[in-house]
Amino acid sequence: MTDYLIKGASVLGGEPRDVLLREGLIADGSSSGAEVVDADGLVMLPGLVDLHTHLREPGREDAETVETGTRAAAMGGFTAVHAMANTEPVADTAGVVEQVWRLGTEAGYCDVQPVGAVTVGLAGERLAELGAMADSAARVRVFSDDGKCVSDPVLMRRALEYVKAFDGVVAQHAQEPRLTEDAQMNEGELSGRLGLRGWPAVAEESIIARDCLLAAHVGSRLHVCHVSTAGSVEIVRWAKSKGWPVTAEVCPHHLLLTDELAASYDPIFKVNPPLRSATDVEALRAGLADGTIDVVATDHAPHPHEDKDCEWQAAAFGMLGLETALSIVQTTMVDAGLLDWAGVAERMSTTPARIGRLAGQGRPLEVGEPANVVLYDPSVSRVVDASELASLSRNTPYAGMELPGRVVATFLRGRPTVLDGKLC
Amino acid sequence: MKKHLLSAADLSRDDAELVLATAEELRSLADRPIKKLPALRGRTVVNLFFEDSTRTRISFEAAAKRLSADVINFSAKGSSLSKGESLKDTALTLEAMGADAVVVRHWASGAPHLLAHAGWARSSVVNAGDGTHEHPTQALLDAFTMTRHLGSLDGRRVAIVGDVLHSRVARSNALLLTTLGAEVTLVAPPTLLPYGVEGWGVETSYDLDAVLPKADVLMMLRVQRERMNAAFFPSVREYSRRYGVDARRMATLQDHTIVMHPGPMIRGMEISADVADSERSVIVEQVTNGVAVRMAVLYLLLGGSQPAIGGDDA
């Protein structure tokens, strides 16, 4: 195994120093024989961990596969992703989660940690065999019906209680189904004008409030997926002020884009939860800065061209996120003075790894720790070209947009998955 | 005018007045024995209907034919539930057939916008009703009808009553009539007004009786009975009592006030038979005017000041 001496990296944005990667670990001592990587001007962060990724395999290999999705992840600086359960078949058995986990290991671009479905077939009717998934080779700890809400309060309560037995967490897609039937975009003045059915903030906030109360009542860990409204931030802040075991994530697109984009009727901007108002964007940034929102998660959602090249109402929800996440966080948080690089490391690596109970990820950049690192150049900028993405799909909302920063290298346990900005 | 007519917001006041003036000239054609002009000879107009609407299609068909255009009716079945051929492939087909204008009716809000801007086809696109978004030629024919009865719409008060939430007619009228200087009041139970309607720059009211004596135009909108199943209102009877117009309410209108309805009407629900058939009712005239206004729109989008032959902007 090749050793790497990373020279002059600004670790977490601090003073430049050399870091030696040897035998899969961050090491000290002699660097003789190590390949030198010039990291002058580059920021070193622990390998990023995504709590919310759709890899689409099995079932929708026309949109993404574990291999293409993890290549995209590596290009985005990730060393671990949580693969959501809404595949075909649904990841609601030990068999499916082990398949996804094995595919990830074989691909080798980053750790793939499957998320297990909370309910059988995501149908919201009865619990999936959560314990079997937890005990499987995939060692599932995060359970989610993402894409659908566990809306039945009794089922949600039981799920929260049940996963305590193996230190699991339920990641809720907070969307009250009756309030969002056929919903197409954020409910606001614009949805009324455009004649697109509204997805009101209250449909998210009411479920979050309920689930926070349930989590407190039964003493279980709750994780709230893709928080998108100012009200949701307030509710999570309130729950945390009570000391309740609640964590929350925000997606990069919700930190940057607003519902005004729907006026184009271009479904590239159709996503669930929908893009919200500028006020919501401000509140999400503030919430991420002050720690109310614990992590940034991509909700990377690949779709084939034909599912986006159609009427808004007929189009699929979701957008790509892995390869642009760090750039969006730089532009919305770091460059805006809301977060330093240490804060980015915490919200995109340390904390998501802790929530997902990933032992070897999100560790400090210290001697003896696993060599999961990313080198990032914040000084350059690029115009996003959808055709250049490693993902199999092309549905990025940022095409043609100039974004700061570039992932120069990603190391997974000392082995480069990306070097000189290219996949290895 | 712009190349497409997708929203009533696409029309400046000058544009709208030009359409209305052109329609006035073209309307006289209806009284002639030979109802045909050569203006769009050799041009192809496609009526692309993803949703059934016999009256709107016939109106556009008559308009195009009276201008000597070739008309192709393309009924594309399929709904949001059962997807048929994609909008893109349909557009590519029409482009290959050399359509100059595509008149599109679609169940999805924004479909005409997509057709105009996705780069699939070069033809002009006329929105003939998209989802719950807009129906700009209906608004133009409504404004045309109002103008014929009331003259300038400056300062005129128009009450639009009914299911505003689901109405593309209301959206287009609110935009166009405001452009033309009218004061629009949307009247509906709060459940049937769109979220955020305060930002539309029009008045709203929940009280029909308070609005009637001040209105110069009373425009009734269709209300589907099924809406009560989704709790928009408790019953047909209660809806009619609060928001339907009958002889008693009609008696509170000013003498010159006209009553309109885009059709199809549900007599006994939003409008009683004696109102629909009264002297004030211009509902049948709206249909006649629809042809003239659609002729004007097609003429201005396709021919306009340019010669009908050799004016292709491609």
Side-chain angles (χ1 to χ4, degrees):
Chain A
M1 192 173 182
T2 313
D3 297 344
Y4 289 90
L5 177 65
I6 297 168
K7 284 192 79 77
S10 164
V11 177
L12 303 183
E15 286 304 304
R17 61 181 170 95
D18 298 349
V19 177
L20 179 64
L21 310 183
R22 184 197 292 144
E23 303 289 333
L25 300 174
I26 297 173
D28 55 6
S30 166
S31 61
S32 67
E35 195 166 307
V36 174
V37 176
D38 177 15
D40 184 34
L42 306 185
V43 173
M44 181 187 277
L45 301 172
L48 307 182
V49 176
D50 193 10
L51 263 180
H52 196 143
T53 316
H54 295 276
L55 293 178
R56 301 296 187 219
E57 190 176 4
R60 286 307 300 269
E61 291 83 356
D62 58 329
E64 194 82 283
T65 64
V66 171
E67 178 166 3
T68 61
T70 52
R71 287 164 71 98
M75 286 297 283
F78 290 88
T79 51
V81 298
H82 287 75
M84 273 298 173
N86 62 338
T87 48
E88 297 167 23
V90 170
D92 58 2
T93 62
V96 178
V97 294
E98 285 190 351
Q99 180 195 358
V100 172
W101 174 76
R102 199 178 56 250
L103 286 167
T105 305
E106 287 168 4
Y109 288 100
C110 73
D111 289 350
V112 173
Q113 177 57 54
V115 173
V118 176
T119 68
V120 175
L122 309 177
E125 285 163 7
R126 57 196 177 89
L127 287 183
E129 289 187 347
L130 309 180
M133 291 188 273
D135 293 343
S136 75
R139 299 179 47 80
V140 176
R141 291 295 177 272
V142 181
F143 298 89
S144 181
D145 275 3
D146 179 64
K148 293 190 173 165
C149 181
V150 182
S151 62
D152 180 332
V154 174
L155 205 51
M156 185 62 184
R157 172 192 173 149
R158 298 285 181 248
L160 284 166
E161 288 176 315
Y162 194 80
V163 299
K164 282 201 281 190
F166 31 84
D167 195 23
V169 61
V170 178
Q172 175 71 293
H173 171 115
Q175 175 179 7
E176 209 295 312
R178 284 278 287 147
L179 282 171
T180 50
E181 281 174 15
D182 197 31
Q184 298 293 319
M185 68 171 290
N186 181 43
E187 184 162 86
E189 190 191 321
L190 192 62
S191 61
R193 284 180 183 277
L194 295 177
L196 293 173
R197 189 81 65 90
W199 197 133
V202 61
E204 175 173 310
E205 293 156 5
S206 57
I207 292 290
I208 295 177
R210 180 201 75 177
D211 288 352
C212 287
L213 293 164
L214 280 174
H217 183 63
V218 301
S220 297
R221 286 204 291 149
L222 168 72
H223 178 70
V224 186
C225 295
H226 42 51
V227 161
S228 72
T229 75
S232 298
V233 177
E234 270 192 67
I235 292 164
V236 172
R237 190 175 284 132
W238 168 75
K240 288 190 164 184
S241 75
K242 301 272 194 185
W244 296 347
V246 175
T247 57
E249 71 189 29
V250 63
C251 302
H253 47 268
H254 288 127
L255 291 172
L256 183 66
L257 308 177
T258 64
D259 60 353
E260 296 290 323
L261 292 163
S264 67
Y265 288 108
D266 183 345
I268 201 81
F269 301 114
K270 181 175 175 178
V271 63
N272 190 16
L275 301 178
R276 304 286 188 184
S277 71
T279 312
D280 294 308
V281 168
E282 285 308 307
L284 292 169
R285 290 181 186 185
L288 183 61
D290 72 17
T292 301
I293 298 174
D294 304 81
V295 305
V296 175
T298 67
D299 197 4
H300 178 82
H303 290 289
H305 193 59
E306 59 272 20
D307 289 353
K308 283 291 191 180
D309 203 21
C310 59
E311 301 89 340
W312 181 284
Q313 214 176 314
F317 288 100
M319 40 183 67
L320 300 183
L322 287 169
E323 293 173 75
T324 45
L326 200 45
S327 290
I328 304 296
V329 170
Q330 184 191 338
T331 192
T332 59
M333 302 298 295
V334 181
D335 293 351
L338 292 168
L339 211 56
D340 56 16
W341 289 110
V344 172
E346 194 178 296
R347 283 156 184 76
M348 296 186 78
S349 179
T350 315
T351 309
R354 189 170 63 236
I355 292 169
R357 300 292 192 252
L358 296 184
Q361 296 282 348
R363 300 294 304 162
L365 294 171
E366 290 166 6
V367 170
E369 295 288 350
N372 295 317
V373 299
V374 53
L375 294 174
Y376 181 74
D377 185 352
S379 66
V380 297
S381 69
R382 57 167 171 164
V383 175
V384 178
D385 180 348
S387 68
E388 287 178 355
L389 297 175
S391 171
L392 192 56
S393 289
R394 296 284 169 263
N395 55 306
T396 174
Y398 310 111
M401 206 180 280
E402 186 170 333
L403 295 179
R406 186 175 78 109
V407 171
V408 175
T410 309
F411 291 86
L412 176 63
R413 284 181 287 279
R415 187 176 55 78
T417 54
V418 172
L419 213 50
D420 291 330
K422 296 185 183 66
L423 279 166
C424 297
Chain B
M1 275 183 52
K2 294 185 178 176
K3 185 185 174 189
H4 309 289
L5 179 57
L6 306 174
S7 159
D10 293 340
L11 299 167
S12 66
R13 183 161 185 161
D14 284 349
D15 290 337
E17 285 174 349
L18 177 63
V19 174
L20 300 185
T22 308
E24 186 60 47
E25 286 176 41
L26 293 170
R27 193 184 192 275
S28 61
L29 204 65
D31 303 325
R32 294 198 214 157
I34 297 172
K35 300 178 175 52
K36 205 156 175 132
L37 287 176
L40 297 184
R41 183 178 294 155
R43 297 304 190 100
T44 301
V45 174
V46 176
N47 285 323
L48 177 58
F49 277 56
F50 287 85
E51 186 182 76
D52 288 332
S53 173
T54 310
R55 11 171 100 224
T56 304
R57 184 181 57 73
I58 293 175
S59 182
F60 269 105
E61 188 171 351
K65 284 181 170 167
R66 284 183 192 175
L67 292 170
S68 304
D70 294 321
V71 178
I72 297 171
N73 288 317
F74 194 122
S75 176
K77 289 293 171 195
S79 66
S80 52
L81 297 174
S82 63
K83 275 197 273 179
E85 186 181 41
S86 74
L87 183 62
K88 177 181 180 173
D89 287 324
T90 308
L92 294 174
T93 304
L94 299 178
E95 172 72 3
M97 290 193 302
D100 296 295
V102 177
V103 174
V104 61
R105 162 67 66 103
H106 204 290
W107 44 261
S109 299
H113 190 98
L114 203 61
L115 208 52
H117 295 300
W120 302 328
R122 290 170 298 172
S123 37
S124 285
V125 176
V126 180
N127 181 0
D130 62 328
T132 53
H133 177 223
E134 284 211 46
H135 194 356
T137 60
Q138 177 72 42
L140 283 165
L141 79 87
D142 290 337
F144 182 69
T145 307
M146 290 176 208
T147 311
R148 285 178 63 87
H149 286 269
L150 302 170
S152 167
L153 298 185
D154 262 320
R156 291 293 193 178
R157 289 176 167 161
V158 181
I160 301 176
V161 185
D163 185 358
V164 176
L165 178 63
H166 300 95
S167 175
R168 47 197 173 208
V169 177
R171 280 174 181 71
S172 287
N173 265 303
L175 289 165
L176 181 70
L177 297 175
T178 306
T179 299
L180 290 169
E183 293 170 19
V184 175
T185 304
L186 303 173
V187 186
T191 47
L192 290 177
L193 285 173
Y195 186 88
V197 72
E198 311 79 45
W200 288 22
V202 298
E203 296 291 310
T204 57
S205 173
Y206 310 137
D207 183 357
L208 179 58
D209 287 313
V211 171
L212 289 176
K214 290 179 280 184
D216 298 299
V217 177
L218 177 61
M219 183 186 297
M220 304 305 295
L221 301 173
R222 184 164 69 120
V223 181
Q224 294 179 354
R225 284 167 194 274
E226 308 83 72
R227 301 285 180 219
M228 74 181 173
N229 300 330
F232 286 107
F233 49 87
S235 68
V236 170
R237 192 173 53 193
E238 174 155 325
Y239 182 85
S240 290
R241 198 186 305 133
R242 293 177 68 87
Y243 296 99
V245 60
D246 56 7
R248 179 186 67 77
R249 285 208 164 106
M250 187 166 66
T252 68
L253 295 171
Q254 302 174 70
D255 290 342
H256 65 271
T257 302
I258 57 172
V259 176
M260 309 181 73
H261 195 298
M265 283 182 280
I266 305 178
R267 291 172 184 242
M269 175 95 179
E270 71 266 9
I271 191 165
S272 70
D274 44 2
V275 176
D277 300 330
S278 75
E279 290 287 305
R280 294 175 180 280
S281 166
V282 297
I283 295 168
V284 176
E285 189 190 329
Q286 285 175 269
V287 178
T288 311
N289 293 341
V291 177
V293 161
R294 285 166 180 135
M295 286 173 77
V297 167
L298 291 172
Y299 176 74
L300 291 169
L301 288 180
L302 290 184
S305 55
Q306 296 173 357
I309 294 173
D312 199 333
D313 65 354

